Amino acid sequence: DTGVSQDPRHKITKRGQNVTFRCDPISEHNRLYWYRQTLGQGPEFLTYFQNEAQLEKSRLLSDRFSAERPKGSFSTLEIQRTEQGDSAMYLCASSLVEGAYYEQYFGPGTRLTVT
Amino acid sequence: SQKIEQNSEALNIQEGKTATLTCNYTNYSPAYLQWYRQDPGRGPVFLLLIRENEKEKRKERLKVTFDTTLKQSLFHITASQPADSATYLCALEDWRGAQKLVFGQGTRLTINP
């Protein structure tokens, strides 16, 4: 399967702990996005990369959140000092952006539960 | 303020009928609008993209319309089947904003046999 993959699929952590999620995009895609989704809501944009450059971060992304995409391949999203409000599904998506119009391909998500 | 709203949280339709979902937006100037399907516990799956200069787009039993005057998109599933039951999300990219998608809250569609 050559789709977007995310690891882990589920993570339970205690408040105050750090967590890191990984996303492997579709190999030829040049753009990678992170979203957060809570129950009954649509995904909310967090940040995106064009190759290895992080081009935008949402105001939702507090100082406790950091994302990287070394070498323009896989990406990691780290949350430090987790809070119960961080409990959500974290979705990664990738795109091949060659023109003005493009769709995004989403991974299965990582469900984070902070206890 | 900017908003993107889908008409209802849940919609129940009898099998074989046409399901129509609505997406309205305020204070955006979208270059295009997209519709995604999301099943429980899974990521969204892209269905259709319609550009601002297109009125209608079709794909098999799916049809999307885009009215930039009304600031509305309609998503139709004809000859609906129980397998079409899922949450459907609309999303747009604002010309003026960064290159990211803004999603509606989704409509949970149930097709009853």
Side-chain angles (χ1 to χ4, degrees), chain B residues 89-106:
Chain B
L89 299 157
C90 67
L92 57 81
E93 181 175 310
D94 190 1
W95 275 118
R96 294 170 297 177
Q99 295 177 344
K100 63 189 184 209
L101 285 179
V102 179
F103 283 84
Q105 80 276 22

Side-chain angles (χ1 to χ4, degrees), chain B residues 46-61:
Chain B
F46 171 78
L47 296 175
L48 282 166
L49 180 154
I50 186 165
R51 304 178 188 186
E52 59 170 347
N53 60 350
E54 296 177 319
K55 296 294 185 188
E56 182 179 297
K57 185 74 77 73
R58 292 176 185 260
K59 179 182 175 182
E60 299 173 351
R61 294 183 297 109

Side-chain angles (χ1 to χ4, degrees), chain B residues 9-79:
Chain B
E9 286 188 8
L11 192 62
N12 288 275
I13 300 290
Q14 199 66 32
E15 181 178 6
K17 302 291 187 186
T18 296
T20 298
L21 284 62
T22 304
C23 178
N24 294 291
Y25 58 91
T26 307
N27 291 328
Y28 283 107
S29 300
Y32 55 87
L33 194 142
Q34 302 184 21
W35 285 87
Y36 288 78
R37 169 184 173 139
Q38 188 172 27
D39 291 287
R42 294 176 175 261
V45 174
F46 171 78
L47 296 175
L48 282 166
L49 180 154
I50 186 165
R51 304 178 188 186
E52 59 170 347
N53 60 350
E54 296 177 319
K55 296 294 185 188
E56 182 179 297
K57 185 74 77 73
R58 292 176 185 260
K59 179 182 175 182
E60 299 173 351
R61 294 183 297 109
L62 308 180
K63 185 178 85 169
V64 172
T65 63
F66 192 12
D67 188 326
T68 55
T69 301
L70 291 178
K71 300 187 185 300
Q72 181 180 82
S73 175
L74 299 179
F75 176 80
H76 307 271
I77 305 176
T78 59

